[in-house]
């Protein structure tokens, strides 16, 4: 799958390809940064910048559009309501206890850990499920994404040094 994504985005300008790859729910910036640095030879700061900006793109449409999508599906495509509710339930379960303890800082912690399924997409779904105010959600998620991006960039640079 990674090879197919790299091949697909290789014809795009590198900054745009990095941002687009970071905006995808499967790759986010956790994969966009190493690809930008090691495959497309983008400088570390540039890879971090474009991946961070691209990773933030889905927040607003996802935050405001997820419940609207559910409402439309409830009226026109009732079979899709169950998967949407399941996704919201998973997001709520992942973050509910942390949010009760730490508030919006929990979104930062959740997003800052560069592991699979702890990125911007999952955090935004959790914020919608927990009805976290938009401003608090965006601040926590954005700073978490920046922290994750810095961690991934440092790890990618370290891998260059260690593997050479």
């Amino acid at each position: 799958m990674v090879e197919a994504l790299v091949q697909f985005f290789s014809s795009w300008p590198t900054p745009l390809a990095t941002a687009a790859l970071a905006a995808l729910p499967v790759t986010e910036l956790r994969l966009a940064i190493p690809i930008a640095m090691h495959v497309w030879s983008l400088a570390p700061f540039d890879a971090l910048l474009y991946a961070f900006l691209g990773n933030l793109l889905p927040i607003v449409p996802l935050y405001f559009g997820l419940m609207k999508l559910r409402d439309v599906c409830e009226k026109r495509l009732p079979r899709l309501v169950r998967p949407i509710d399941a996704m919201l339930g998973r997001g709520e379960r992942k973050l509910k206890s942390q949010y009760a303890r730490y508030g919006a800082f929990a979104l930062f912690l959740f997003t800052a850990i560069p592991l699979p399924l702890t990125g911007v997409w999952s955090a935004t779904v959790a914020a919608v499920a927990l009805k976290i105010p938009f401003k608090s959600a965006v601040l926590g998620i954005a700073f978490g994404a920046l922290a994750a991006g810095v961690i991934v960039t440092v790890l990618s640079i370290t891998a260059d040094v260690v593997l050479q």
Side-chain angles (χ1 to χ4, degrees):
M1 180 182 93
V2 174
E3 291 175 15
L5 287 170
V6 169
Q7 185 177 1
F8 176 77
F9 287 117
S10 289
S11 63
W12 294 30
T14 306
L16 184 59
T18 304
L21 194 60
L24 296 175
V26 176
T27 54
E28 294 201 27
L29 56 70
R30 289 144 175 79
L31 189 58
I33 291 172
I35 288 175
M37 289 174 57
H38 299 292
V39 177
W40 298 326
S41 301
L42 207 56
F45 179 78
D46 293 339
L48 172 62
L49 176 67
Y50 296 126
F52 173 69
L53 293 175
N55 202 209
L56 296 182
L57 289 175
I59 295 174
V60 172
L62 190 58
Y63 186 90
F64 291 109
L66 191 57
M67 293 311 289
K68 289 187 185 346
L69 175 66
R70 187 197 181 284
D71 293 342
V72 168
C73 288
E74 192 170 46
K75 293 176 185 170
R76 299 202 174 143
L77 301 165
R79 290 184 178 183
L80 292 180
V81 172
R82 181 176 278 168
I84 293 172
D85 286 345
M87 181 176 56
L88 288 169
R90 275 192 309 273
E92 184 177 5
R93 281 189 303 278
K94 281 184 176 182
L95 204 59
K96 189 174 187 176
S97 64
Q98 291 176 337
Y99 183 71
R101 181 178 293 159
Y102 300 112
F105 186 66
L107 287 170
F108 167 80
L109 294 174
F110 182 78
T111 312
I113 301 168
L115 295 172
L117 302 175
T118 63
V120 166
W121 283 78
S122 298
T124 305
V125 169
V128 170
L130 293 169
K131 296 176 177 60
I132 298 171
F134 178 72
K135 185 177 179 181
S136 298
V138 167
L139 286 174
I141 293 169
F143 282 113
L146 182 59
V150 169
I151 292 168
V152 170
T153 303
V154 168
L155 290 174
S156 294
I157 292 169
T158 304
D160 276 350
V161 171
V162 170
L163 296 176
Q164 285 183 0

